[in-house]
Amino acid sequence: MTNIESLPLSAIDVSDASLYQNDAWRPYFARLRKESPVHLTENETFGRFWSVTRFNDIVSVDTNHADFSSEPAITIGDYGDDVPVQQFIAMDPPKHDIQRKVVQPVVAPKNLAQMEPLIRQRVVDILDALPVGEVFNWVDAVSINLTTQMLATIFDFPFEDRHKLPYWSDMATALPEATGGSADIDERTGALMDCLQTFTTLWHERAEGRSDTMDFISMLANHPDTADMVNQPMEYLGNLILLIVGGNDTTRNSITGGVLALNENPEQYNKLKDNPALVESMVPEIIRWQTPLMHMRRRATRDISLGDQVIREGDKVVMWYLSGNHDESVIPNADQFIIDRQNPRNHLSFGFGIHRCMGNRLGEMQLRVLWEELLSRFSEIEVVGAPERIQSNFVRGYSALPVVLHR
Ligand code: HEM
């Protein structure tokens, strides 16, 4: 094992995706927070970039969009030239604000309240079909299944083809030069073009007010500010990817992460069983503990000081939410999973500022409904083997978690 304390600081490179695949990142970030909180790295894959690792420094970058631009990309690496997409998460005002405003009503509280019974019904159908007393992969059977159904709902996507959504999402985020992932480039390009074509057909079906449903495509197609987006295919595709990944990987990996966290902390699981009302404060704690998106990247628009460093105009600045969520100076006992924290929403997993997660309430609602229904059905979701984690420095996720359910 590497002795991290004896490594020269210059050897610490937290863009290495294997740190997350092997779940080995904790001591690296602990050392950076302590000794080099605004840390410069230069490597072959991503070039020169700063890692910001303390909670308050991250908030100060995230809330300062004038000095820290989101263009042209929010992962450490730029998006591939094969599919040069644009999306509002990687835009600055005014264009960002205009596009966000068009789709936001889909995940506004009023629409979410209307969606909750449908989401609950879908949760119930999935849980009632699970095998009891047999080993199965929680990721496929529950996490992916449930978030895929939810995505199909918010896109009003043909339900029988919904399995394509997580596939496109996986292809979009697995680009080696953007996130250290492992996608085959040709397969990725083909998948994304198929995604664009499918959604272009849906756009034309829904344009000109022919559909009055509250889904992302109808909203974009029928709003005067975005009605032309279908003619900018890379912008349409970019925003589709944003909404698919936003609503997919994040919630999916929080659903798996929660089961793992409770198994690693049986005293917390017992507390929950004794008092199911704790689901309310456990959900934000799961989202902090998991930190499904580990970073967002910005680009300095001028020379600017941060901590004791001077960032040069044009430099990449990576906000490591995963590290900030473990900053003891802001979150007491940050390395521990505690389901009844005093202030559980005080975490960085949804970001801050003008790009703060648009779907945060939807993600939380899905997790709350799932845990309410799980607790009323099963005495235990037992993890019976090690989780398999994905290779990425962006999405903190799982490909497998073997479990057995007990009544
Ligand atoms: C546990 C669940 C989720 C987590 C942890 C999460 C995390 C994040 C983060 C970190 C950001 C960037 C924040 C920043 O730059 O300051 C973001 C933005 C965004 N998220 Fe989420 N997300 C989740 C669920 C969802 C869901 C369910 C949707 C629904 C479609 C969604 C849609 C978006 C969109 C559209 C943006 C871009 C906002 C903008 O640029 O203005 N997210 N999310």
Side-chain angles (χ1 to χ4, degrees):
M1 266 195 49
T2 320
N3 181 356
I4 290 127
E5 288 305 314
S6 66
L7 278 179
L9 273 173
S10 59
I12 296 187
D13 177 355
V14 284
S15 70
D16 176 357
S18 72
L19 292 182
Y20 311 102
Q21 192 167 28
N22 301 326
D23 202 32
W25 49 273
R26 284 174 188 78
Y28 293 86
F29 280 124
R31 182 135 181 247
L32 289 187
R33 281 194 304 274
K34 201 162 121 214
E35 294 177 39
S36 181
V38 180
H39 180 73
L40 184 63
T41 304
E42 204 153 354
N43 68 27
E44 241 176 61
T45 319
F46 302 116
R48 175 186 159 94
F49 67 94
W50 295 93
S51 286
V52 183
T53 53
R54 286 186 183 163
F55 191 106
N56 291 327
D57 288 340
I58 291 170
V59 175
S60 80
V61 172
D62 218 352
T63 51
N64 181 359
H65 60 269
D67 293 331
F68 298 102
S69 163
S70 293
E71 296 178 2
I74 47 78
T75 44
I76 305 185
D78 290 333
Y79 306 146
D81 292 337
D82 57 334
V83 191
V85 294
Q86 292 169 287
Q87 47 187 194
F88 70 82
I89 197 173
M91 290 177 192
D92 295 328
K95 206 168 170 185
H96 158 269
D97 305 11
I98 293 167
Q99 296 193 354
R100 175 174 168 128
K101 218 164 124 197
V102 172
V103 285
Q104 198 159 24
V106 179
V107 286
K110 187 164 157 252
N111 204 40
L112 287 187
Q114 284 172 1
M115 247 192 271
E116 183 168 334
L118 179 61
I119 289 183
R120 190 175 297 275
Q121 188 53 51
R122 289 183 166 165
V123 168
V124 165
D125 291 346
I126 290 172
L127 298 188
D128 286 346
L130 293 174
V132 174
E134 274 173 40
V135 181
F136 66 91
N137 181 2
W138 179 262
V139 174
D140 289 334
V142 181
S143 309
I144 294 182
N145 201 357
L146 179 56
T147 44
T148 303
Q149 294 197 9
M150 186 209 62
L151 267 182
T153 310
I154 57 180
F155 278 102
D156 196 13
F157 191 80
F159 208 61
E160 61 286 2
D161 290 335
R162 65 187 185 281
H163 61 275
K164 292 182 180 170
L165 296 167
Y167 172 65
W168 291 331
S169 175
D170 288 347
M171 283 293 127
T173 55
L175 192 66
E177 60 266 37
T179 62
S182 57
D184 174 89
I185 298 299
D186 291 340
E187 184 187 357
R188 178 178 184 274
T189 307
L192 295 183
M193 289 303 122
D194 183 31
C195 174
L196 177 62
Q197 201 175 9
T198 306
F199 274 102
T200 301
T201 307
L202 290 178
W203 176 293
H204 290 302
E205 284 169 13
R206 289 174 199 179
E208 292 158 23
R210 265 181 284 165
S211 162
D212 58 358
T213 62
M214 190 78 147
D215 66 87
F216 284 139
I217 308 307
S218 299
M219 302 298 278
L220 288 168
N222 293 303
H223 195 287
D225 288 336
T226 47
D228 185 46
M229 195 185 279
V230 75
N231 298 321
Q232 324 288 334
M234 286 303 115
E235 196 169 305
Y236 184 34
L237 179 60
N239 281 317
L240 288 168
I241 292 172
L242 166 61
L243 295 165
I244 295 173
V245 174
N248 179 33
D249 287 274
T250 53
T251 317
R252 176 209 293 187
N253 292 313
S254 302
I255 291 173
T256 308
V259 172
L260 187 61
L262 286 170
N263 273 263
E264 286 178 359
N265 298 275
E267 76 297 344
Q268 299 296 316
Y269 206 166
N270 288 335
K271 225 192 296 185
L272 178 67
K273 287 178 201 160
D274 290 345
N275 181 9
L278 288 176
V279 164
E280 199 67 32
S281 56
M282 177 180 75
V283 164
E285 174 67 351
I286 288 175
I287 294 170
R288 178 191 75 88
W289 188 88
Q290 181 58 32
T291 318
L293 299 182
M294 294 183 280
H295 74 255
M296 287 284 152
R297 186 256 280 195
R298 301 292 185 256
R299 192 176 283 279
T301 57
R302 63 176 178 94
D303 291 357
I304 184 166
S305 299
L306 187 64
D308 57 0
Q309 302 286 357
V310 177
I311 314 268
R312 291 200 313 235
E313 181 180 345
D315 277 355
K316 295 187 207 179
V317 179
V318 182
M319 303 175 285
W320 287 99
Y321 297 139
L322 182 65
S323 173
N325 273 342
H326 289 259
D327 185 339
E328 289 278 337
S329 69
V330 176
I331 300 171
N333 302 311
D335 283 340
Q336 289 174 32
F337 176 71
I338 303 172
I339 65 170
D340 51 357
R341 284 186 183 275
Q342 288 301 309
N343 194 3
R345 288 210 158 77
N346 189 31
H347 65 68
L348 294 169
S349 297
F350 291 128
F352 275 93
I354 61 166
H355 292 281
R356 182 173 167 82
C357 177
M358 198 186 82
N360 55 349
R361 296 292 171 184
L362 174 58
E364 288 183 343
M365 186 246 273
Q366 244 196 315
L367 286 167
R368 173 176 55 76
V369 169
L370 173 68
W371 278 101
E372 286 168 358
E373 297 300 331
L374 281 171
L375 287 169
S376 71
R377 268 176 188 71
F378 307 112
S379 65
E380 181 94 19
I381 307 157
E382 186 192 359
V383 173
V384 294
E388 272 173 32
R389 296 169 190 274
I390 63 163
Q391 179 189 323
S392 171
N393 61 30
F394 181 63
V395 174
R396 182 156 182 252
Y398 309 89
S399 49
L401 184 70
V403 301
V404 174
L405 293 178
H406 302 280
R407 281 259 188 248

